[in-house]
Amino acid sequence: ELDVSTNDDIAVVRCRGRIVFGEEADELRLVVLGLLKETKRIVLNLAWIGYIDSSGLGTLVACYISARNRGAEIKLAAISPRARRVLTNTKVDRLFEVYDSTEQAIISFRSYPEAAAG
């Protein structure tokens, strides 16, 4: 289950359940691809993810690549302990900036242009 909201031009996707082969992973990929047409800044909140399989990991990597190809960025926030273990063990977490909360990820996007300009 995906819940999408926007905060200024930052899209926040709250993911619930599992990111696994089939409908779940496909839906996440389609949502992210749709958002990349509208914004270059996406936060994936993984607080309610109970399980990620290899297909789910592939989906996250594909989302990362799609974002990079469009000059966009995806950040991860509030990763559940189970999801964090899978992402850390597979080193997929190294692709993304990871934050303890959605709010911290949003703030990091807002402070980024100022840091680049200074």
Side-chain angles (χ1 to χ4, degrees):
E1 182 183 325
L2 302 174
D3 173 44
V4 180
S5 61
T6 54
N7 191 323
D8 295 328
D9 63 338
I10 301 167
V12 176
V13 182
R14 287 177 179 81
C15 308
R16 293 180 190 273
R18 308 173 310 160
I19 305 175
V20 296
F21 177 77
E23 201 174 301
E24 292 95 338
D26 292 345
E27 184 181 354
L28 177 60
R29 179 111 174 94
L30 289 173
V31 166
V32 168
L33 287 174
L35 290 171
L36 287 171
K37 295 175 184 172
E38 303 165 18
T39 183
K40 296 203 177 301
R41 305 189 297 183
I42 299 173
V43 176
L44 293 181
N45 180 311
L46 303 181
W48 300 282
I49 292 299
Y51 184 72
I52 302 174
D53 70 1
S54 59
S55 180
L57 289 169
T59 296
L60 290 173
V61 172
C63 289
Y64 169 83
I65 293 167
S66 295
R68 295 303 270 194
N69 288 342
R70 291 167 173 80
E73 190 173 5
I74 297 173
K75 298 184 182 191
L76 304 182
I79 304 174
S80 70
R82 274 188 160 161
R84 184 179 294 273
R85 200 163 35 252
V86 172
L87 295 173
T88 302
N89 288 344
T90 58
K91 302 190 178 14
V92 170
D93 62 331
R94 295 183 182 183
L95 295 175
F96 301 92
E97 286 183 34
V98 178
Y99 293 87
D100 290 337
S101 72
T102 299
E103 293 72 26
Q104 288 175 331
I106 289 170
I107 289 167
S108 76
F109 272 128
R110 289 193 177 133
S111 60
Y112 178 73
E114 295 159 16

